[in-house]
Structure formats: C-alpha cells, structure tokens
C-alpha cells in the first residue's frame, strides 16, 4: 500500500488560485510552506493564514520537509520554476492547477498549446523521472473553489487527472483536506476536460453526477 504523504505541502505561487488553495488546505489542517516571485505575497498570505503557514525563503526552500508541492503558477512560468526545483521533485507529489492560457492586454484568453494537445502530458514531459504528477485544483475559478469547499450535506467534487495511481491516492487526500470529494476524470489525455473551456471546468456537482460524467474513471 502507498505511504500517505506528510502533512506539509509546499505551495509555489500565492496569487489568485494559490492563495485560495492555501486557505482551503490550511482550514483542513494541512501545514503549508509558501513561496512567490518576490516573497512579499507569500509573506502576506502566511500572516493571514496564521501558524499553519510559513513563508519560505524561496522556491527551493519551500520544498524542505514538504511531501507534496502545488505549482500555482501561470503556464508561461511553470517550466522555468520546474527547472529551478527539478532535482527536489523526485519522489514527491506535484500538483498543477495551471490552465494553459495566456491573457492579452485587452483581457482576452488564448490557449497556449495547439488545440487538442494535453497540458497534462506537456507538464509531465517537463518533470524529472520519479515525480508523481496530478493535474488538480485548477478546475474551478478561485472564487467558486473557495465558496464550494465543505459543502453540505453532499460535498462538491473536485476533478483531477493523473496517469499515476499513487499520485491519485495522494491528491485525493489533499482534495478531501480542502473540503471536496475527489473524482478522477482519467489519465493525462483527459486534462483538457478540466481546463477553462472544458466540459468539467467550473462544474459544481456531487459525487454521483461526477461519476456519471467520467464513466467511473
Ligand atoms: N485565478 C483563478 O481563478 C484560477 C483558477 C483556476 C486555475 N487557475 C490557473 O492557475 C494558474 C495561476 O493563476 P493565478 O490566477 O493564481 O495567477 P496569479 O494571480 O498571477 O499568481 C501567480 C503567482 O505566481 C507567482 N510567481 C510568478 N513567477 C514565479 C516564480 N518564478 N517563482 C515563484 N512564484 C512565482 C506570483 O508571485 P508574486 O505574487 O510575487 O507576483 C504569484 O503569486 C494559471 O495557469 C491559471 O490559469 C487560476
């Protein structure tokens, strides 16, 4: 049986979605190590969350003692940060909420990958051997994600995609900690369904409906 990850998670990127993920994980009892580009936003967020969160000295420092890392970064900076921390990712869960979209000066979104190309497969190709990738936590806008957590009586589902069973077990635990029910959409070839524009994006449903949408993947 796979070992459960430790109760400390690193979150690199503390903007719109990184801060929402941090708040939800901290409210579920997870200890966090946070980093951001200039460390100021990580420090501000750690102060807001309280003792459960620590602002790290940088991206590599964030990983010390953390069994999992969430890369809450825009797609355009993701590869650079992965390269910076690559040697520390072996045998860790790597969670990526990034959508492969850019935004122009007028606020228009455009997909940065060719139509049909899976962002999950692209990110998997950037990781070192031994890193366990799950595409997760980027399937809802930050405001919806924060408001849908700990829903009752039935929890809302957070979909994820992975090719790795152990990553699946580990990310499911994080998803539950954040106050959601995990449902696997499938392997990395399904990651497009989770993205902006995908049929599972911004969907707030319970587990039974989620399983009917994914065919029980
Ligand atoms: N916002 C949402 O509602 C939402 C929802 C789902 C998915 N997503 C996806 O999540 C990704 C992030 O979106 P976002 O809205 O959170 O972006 P954002 O608000 O711009 O935040 C990006 C974060 O990345 C940090 N960062 C940039 N370069 C870095 C580096 N080299 N090292 C460490 N940290 C670095 C920034 O640091 P500073 O704070 O110091 O600038 C900032 O905290 C995107 O791909 C987006 O599509 C967003």
């Amino acid at each position: 049986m796979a070992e459960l990850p430790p109760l400390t998670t690193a979150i690199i990127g503390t903007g719109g979605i990184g801060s929402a993920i941090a708040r939800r994980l901290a409210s579920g009892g997870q200890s966090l190590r946070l980093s951001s580009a200039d460390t100021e936003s990580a420090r501000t967020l750690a102060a807001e969350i309280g003792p459960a969160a620590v602002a790290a000295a940088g991206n590599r420092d964030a990983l010390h003692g953390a069994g999992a890392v969430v890369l809450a970064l825009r797609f355009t900076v993701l590869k650079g940060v992965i390269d910076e921390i690559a040697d520390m990712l072996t045998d860790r869960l790597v969670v990526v909420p990034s959508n492969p979209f850019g935004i122009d000066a007028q606020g228009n979104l455009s997909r940065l990958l060719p139509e049909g190309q899976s962002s999950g497969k692209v990110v998997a190709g950037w990781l070192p051997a031994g890193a366990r990738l799950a595409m997760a936590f980027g399937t809802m806008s930050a405001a919806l994600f924060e408001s849908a957590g700990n829903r009752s009586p039935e929890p809302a589902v957070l979909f994820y995609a992975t090719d790795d069973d152990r990553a699946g077990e580990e990310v499911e635990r994080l998803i539950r900690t954040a106050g959601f029910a995990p449902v696997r959409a499938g392997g990395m070839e399904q990651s497009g369904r989770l993205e902006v524009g995908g049929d599972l994006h911004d969907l707030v449903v319970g587990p039974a409906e989620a399983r009917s949408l994914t065919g029980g993947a």
Side-chain angles (χ1 to χ4, degrees):
M1 198 170 91
E3 211 179 292
L4 289 175
L7 286 170
T8 298
T9 293
I11 299 182
I12 298 181
T14 50
I17 197 65
S19 61
I21 296 167
R23 283 190 283 267
R24 288 243 45 88
L25 286 176
S27 76
Q30 191 77 12
S31 295
L32 304 172
R33 293 181 63 78
L34 310 175
S35 70
S36 59
D38 68 4
T39 73
E40 187 51 41
S41 69
R43 256 189 264 124
T44 303
L45 181 63
E48 176 203 314
I49 289 174
V54 169
N59 295 337
R60 293 181 65 83
D61 184 48
L63 282 154
H64 287 296
V69 58
V70 179
L71 301 177
L73 300 161
R74 294 187 181 204
F75 206 78
T76 44
V77 303
L78 197 50
K79 184 173 186 309
V81 171
I82 289 173
D83 288 346
E84 181 192 342
I85 58 175
D87 60 305
M88 302 180 79
L89 295 180
T90 302
D91 208 28
R92 280 191 163 101
L93 171 68
V94 179
V95 178
V96 174
S98 308
N99 284 285
F101 284 81
I103 189 160
D104 68 19
Q106 284 72 46
N108 301 310
L109 283 180
S110 59
R111 198 169 192 269
L112 300 168
L113 299 173
E115 214 41 58
Q117 185 171 18
S118 150
S119 58
K121 282 192 184 293
V122 170
V123 176
W126 293 340
L127 290 173
R132 299 187 293 278
L133 174 64
M135 299 299 282
F137 284 94
T139 55
M140 292 180 190
S141 65
L144 187 60
F145 169 76
E146 288 214 69
S147 64
N150 283 341
R151 197 179 72 158
S152 68
E154 189 187 49
V157 161
L158 216 57
F159 294 100
Y160 70 92
T162 188
D163 287 335
D164 182 315
D165 288 345
R166 186 166 164 200
E169 286 175 32
E170 292 171 342
V171 80
E172 288 205 358
R173 186 183 149 279
L174 280 182
I175 288 170
R176 286 195 189 92
T177 299
F180 292 85
V183 170
R184 183 171 177 262
M188 285 311 177
E189 77 288 350
Q190 298 295 321
S191 66
R193 296 185 70 189
L194 310 180
E195 289 171 11
V196 171
D199 67 314
L200 302 179
H201 190 81
D202 267 352
L203 201 61
V204 182
V205 293
E209 189 178 347
R211 281 194 203 93
S212 78
L213 289 165
T214 57

